[in-house]
Amino acid sequence: MENSDYQAEYDRYWQREDRIGESSGNMDRVAEQILQTCGLGHILDIGSGEGHLVASLLRRGIEAYGVDVSEVVTARCNKRWPGRFSQGSVLELPFSDASYTTVVSTDCMEHLAPADVPRALREMHRVTERYVFLQLATTPDRDRHWHLTVEGRAWWESKCFAAGFRKHPLYYRVNAYESLNTDDWQICVLLEKVPAAALSTFDLDALAEERMLHSDMLRETGRRSDAHCIRYYKAAQLIRPGDRVLDVACGLGYGSHILFSASQAASVLGVDSSEFAIDYANAHYGIGPSLEFRCGDAQYLDSIPDNSIDFIAAFETIEHVADPLAYLRELKRVLKPSGRVMVCAPNQWVDETGKDPNPHHLHVYTWDRLVSEMASCFLLEQGAFQTAGGALKCPNDERSWLDFPLEYPPAVQSEWIIVVGMADPLAGAQVPYVESLWGVPDDPRFHVAAFGRDYDNAWLVKSMVAIGLRMRSKQVLVTTQERVMSTADQESVDYGAALCGRIYSYLENLHTPITVVKGIEAEVMRYAAIPSPLPHQLRWQVSLLFAAGELARRQGRFDDADRFFSECATRDVLAYSPLLGNKTLDALYWLAVFAVGKGDVPAARSCLVRSVSEARRLLAADWINIIGSETQPLAFGLAEVSQLLDKAARAAYMLSACDSFVRRPFALAQEAKGFFERHISHYEDVIAALSNRLETSEGRVTSLNQMILDRNVQIAEINRLVADRDGQIVDLNQIVAQRDGQIA
């Protein structure tokens, strides 16, 4: 179909009145993906049709506009959203340069003839300030045959790179690594505009000349590109907010760009020995102190001070250095206590001679060798195997990434091996602690994040205490807790934190011998008896009493649990923070449950009334130990205070059912949820119902597949019989021919 014919048919299509009620389809999902990857700003939807995506973005408070070739649909959309839609073609957009933060196309580009695609991409490049979000069909439109360009991901990405784009650093947030093994009927290509100055200095031709040494994997397509990029994206998930990050042997800087964009790192420094690589990286990705690049040798990081880095990405470098152990020691030197390092090496890349054919690789690594060398410098957290396929190792395999506990490596082949390690916090106890994650007001009344003041070794917070930040290996976490308990002052905050961690590890193993449990409980009571505790000592006293109650409850020792919960509920948490009231309110809840179990409803009512009263008291106190500074509030503080209110709401709901307990004993249990808990329970029920439906559907599919297999067997048997009959017919024909000859 010619473009002119296409335009006429398209315009007639949109004049149909039944288009007005067209379903919005997946536009809400697309809108959310756009926000999560491209952020706020002015967004233009090209080929906007009935305006469903624009409407979805407007509902989210985003300045969104649409453009469409159809004058009819544009006029209709402007009646609903005045001034939001323009009539125009993607081949000549009626907008000035860089007038939108993000340009989106969800159903437009595939309708162009292949020869027009580069022109359309150039127009998008001109109009967008930063990002382009493309949703592209890879199969023909079977109903209208309007898809003039039907190509796969590699074709589209190559055209986009030629137009001056590169992959968005959050490309893999919307494209899971394994999903890239095949093109679905619709694909998403998420792009970022290459800075004009960088594009003029280092175009794709310049990259082609350097390709044997360096590649910018955000400007390449295919499985090898995906393999290198996903590694950095996975690493970014291990970076803590506020971290200073080092990318060793950063190459052209694309990985450092991903690390910075996909995390909340304070800064990323890329180091490489190639001047070309650093010049390229600074031109394409440098943004001042937040993301900068320097020339340097990965083996001699002399310009980086001791204990100054929080996270190191060290990918495919260790096999290149002359002395791998000295290299690892250098990484250890610059890493802060509790800082992380992620090391990746090729997994036994050898040819038929047993040697690595890459002349730049000085060492051949196996899983055992990498783990052994890493363990000499770091505490090891976890491992991963990665494969891309299409090369020397695992040539016929598909993309895959497999995380696993370090103690249990799976028996599978992979192209790369990855190990995550942590700098030992106990070995670095003398290193001065500087808070980089949370804002600490200069006020002696502030306690919640004043770790450097109250802990003997504040590095333990990130390695052993804080959920989401601490050691990922349960085995090493327990070992660290035991080391702290054996070396720290038994009245210190450090000891209380380690003891509490040990109790929670016992909660995961309820078969712990009672003699061990009783010894732990005695330690809890000893620590809880420390007089005039420091704020963080109080924090651990309350947490220990609650954890001991939880352990006793789950083991069915309700009298012991009642004793610990009762003691926990008597502690005044305001000397630390109102947030600690989450423990005391939970303790009161379980005391109410125990009382109901004994038939003592008045005692249960008393506990529930205390919960509501305590929540009021805590929230009326000074909020400095909830949010810290009002200009830089602690996000977790507001989240935890909402939990405190929800626990009070749970008590209020239960109080409403106390009076009718004798007549309706089930009502109290039904009301034993807070407001948020009710919503969570509802969605859990929905998910369970969907899971049941899915299991039923999968069962039906399995049955159908078996029926198909049975039918295929039957068909094969019929085909065999037919073949036998055909053979018999051939034989009969030969006999007839012989008889005919005899008769003749």
Side-chain angles (χ1 to χ4, degrees), residues 548-562:
E550 281 287 275
L551 181 58
R553 179 181 67 82
R554 296 188 192 186
Q555 290 181 331
R557 298 181 291 112
F558 290 166
D559 289 341
D560 288 340
D562 191 296

Side-chain angles (χ1 to χ4, degrees), residues 283-587:
H284 277 260
Y285 300 112
I287 51 173
S290 297
L291 178 55
E292 61 177 329
F293 301 90
R294 301 179 199 161
C295 273
D297 190 330
Q299 301 171 87
Y300 309 104
L301 302 170
D302 301 333
S303 65
I304 301 177
D306 296 357
N307 308 302
S308 61
I309 299 296
D310 298 285
F311 184 91
I312 300 175
F315 298 156
E316 293 194 79
T317 304
I318 194 168
E319 69 274 16
H320 291 270
V321 300
D323 187 344
L325 291 176
Y327 163 70
L328 291 174
R329 288 193 294 270
E330 184 71 349
L331 299 185
K332 178 184 177 182
R333 177 186 68 79
V334 303
L335 202 59
K336 294 179 185 177
S338 299
R340 283 191 169 114
V341 58
M342 188 175 188
V343 175
C344 174
N347 183 18
Q348 207 165 4
W349 281 14
V350 295
D351 56 21
E352 62 277 0
T353 68
K355 296 181 179 180
D356 190 327
N358 187 327
H360 302 289
H361 290 182
L362 306 182
H363 309 276
V364 173
Y365 270 89
T366 62
W367 170 254
D368 290 339
R369 176 179 178 180
L370 184 60
V371 167
S372 174
E373 292 183 359
M374 286 279 289
S376 69
C377 293
F378 306 102
L379 304 178
L380 303 188
E381 288 195 70
Q382 67 182 55
F385 287 162
Q386 183 190 5
T387 296
L392 173 67
K393 188 78 178 286
C394 308
N396 300 316
D397 288 8
E398 296 184 325
R399 299 170 182 82
S400 67
W401 180 285
L402 181 62
D403 289 311
F404 52 85
L406 207 74
E407 302 82 16
Y408 306 106
V412 296
Q413 287 292 317
S414 70
E415 288 188 73
W416 294 277
I417 45 181
I418 297 100
V419 175
V420 178
M422 178 179 287
D424 188 349
L426 274 72
Q430 302 307 312
V431 177
Y433 180 81
V434 178
E435 186 58 64
S436 60
L437 178 53
W438 294 287
V440 179
D442 185 16
D443 188 324
R445 297 173 303 151
F446 180 75
H447 312 307
V448 178
F451 306 119
R453 183 194 68 195
D454 284 3
Y455 280 76
D456 292 337
N457 181 0
W459 298 110
L460 294 172
V461 174
K462 292 182 180 179
S463 60
M464 188 185 73
V465 178
I467 296 173
L469 306 181
R470 66 191 181 196
M471 177 71 62
R472 294 194 170 200
S473 167
K474 291 183 179 180
Q475 180 175 317
V476 180
L477 179 61
V478 167
T479 301
T480 302
Q481 292 163 350
E482 291 175 341
R483 290 170 61 205
V484 172
M485 290 177 65
S486 66
T487 58
D489 182 337
Q490 292 190 346
E491 292 192 355
S492 67
V493 174
D494 305 38
Y495 185 90
L499 178 60
C500 193
R502 291 299 292 123
I503 295 176
Y504 277 100
S505 67
Y506 291 137
L507 281 168
E508 296 179 3
N509 179 16
L510 297 179
H511 301 295
T512 304
I514 192 65
T515 53
V516 175
V517 171
K518 287 298 182 180
I520 284 289
E521 290 179 349
E523 273 298 281
V524 168
M525 295 308 294
R526 182 197 61 77
Y527 193 90
I530 296 173
S532 304
L534 295 172
H536 277 273
Q537 282 178 313
L538 173 63
R539 180 260 172 98
W540 292 117
Q541 286 180 335
V542 173
S543 296
L544 283 165
L545 289 167
F546 181 79
E550 281 287 275
L551 181 58
R553 179 181 67 82
R554 296 188 192 186
Q555 290 181 331
R557 298 181 291 112
F558 290 166
D559 289 341
D560 288 340
D562 191 296
R563 176 167 55 92
F564 284 114
F565 286 142
S566 295
E567 183 64 26
C568 177
T570 64
R571 302 298 172 110
D572 185 357
V573 300
L574 282 183
Y576 172 72
S577 165
L579 303 179
L580 192 55
N582 279 301
K583 300 294 185 187
T584 54
L585 262 62
D586 271 341

Side-chain angles (χ1 to χ4, degrees), residues 6-82:
Y6 165 81
Q7 171 63 53
E9 184 176 344
Y10 183 81
D11 215 42
R12 286 195 298 274
Y13 172 75
W14 282 113
Q15 291 183 48
R16 289 166 40 197
E17 289 301 320
D18 62 353
R19 303 306 304 161
I20 297 176
E22 186 186 54
S23 169
S24 61
N26 66 349
M27 288 302 105
D28 282 337
R29 178 181 60 82
V30 172
E32 196 59 35
Q33 287 180 332
I34 292 169
L35 292 186
Q36 292 296 318
T37 55
C38 302
L40 310 178
H42 287 59
I43 296 177
L44 175 66
D45 180 18
I46 297 177
S48 51
E50 288 286 359
H52 295 303
L53 178 58
V54 171
S56 186
L57 290 167
L58 291 174
R59 287 196 299 273
R60 290 165 168 79
I62 307 303
E63 285 284 2
Y65 299 85
V67 61
D68 199 277
V69 296
S70 170
E71 188 175 349
V72 173
V73 73
T74 301
R76 191 154 64 213
C77 286
N78 275 323
K79 288 181 180 179
R80 295 179 231 166
W81 303 282

Side-chain angles (χ1 to χ4, degrees), residues 87-102:
Q87 193 274 329
S89 167
V90 67
L91 300 177
E92 193 172 353
L93 293 168
F95 308 108
S96 58
D97 295 356
S99 52
Y100 292 94
T101 310
T102 302

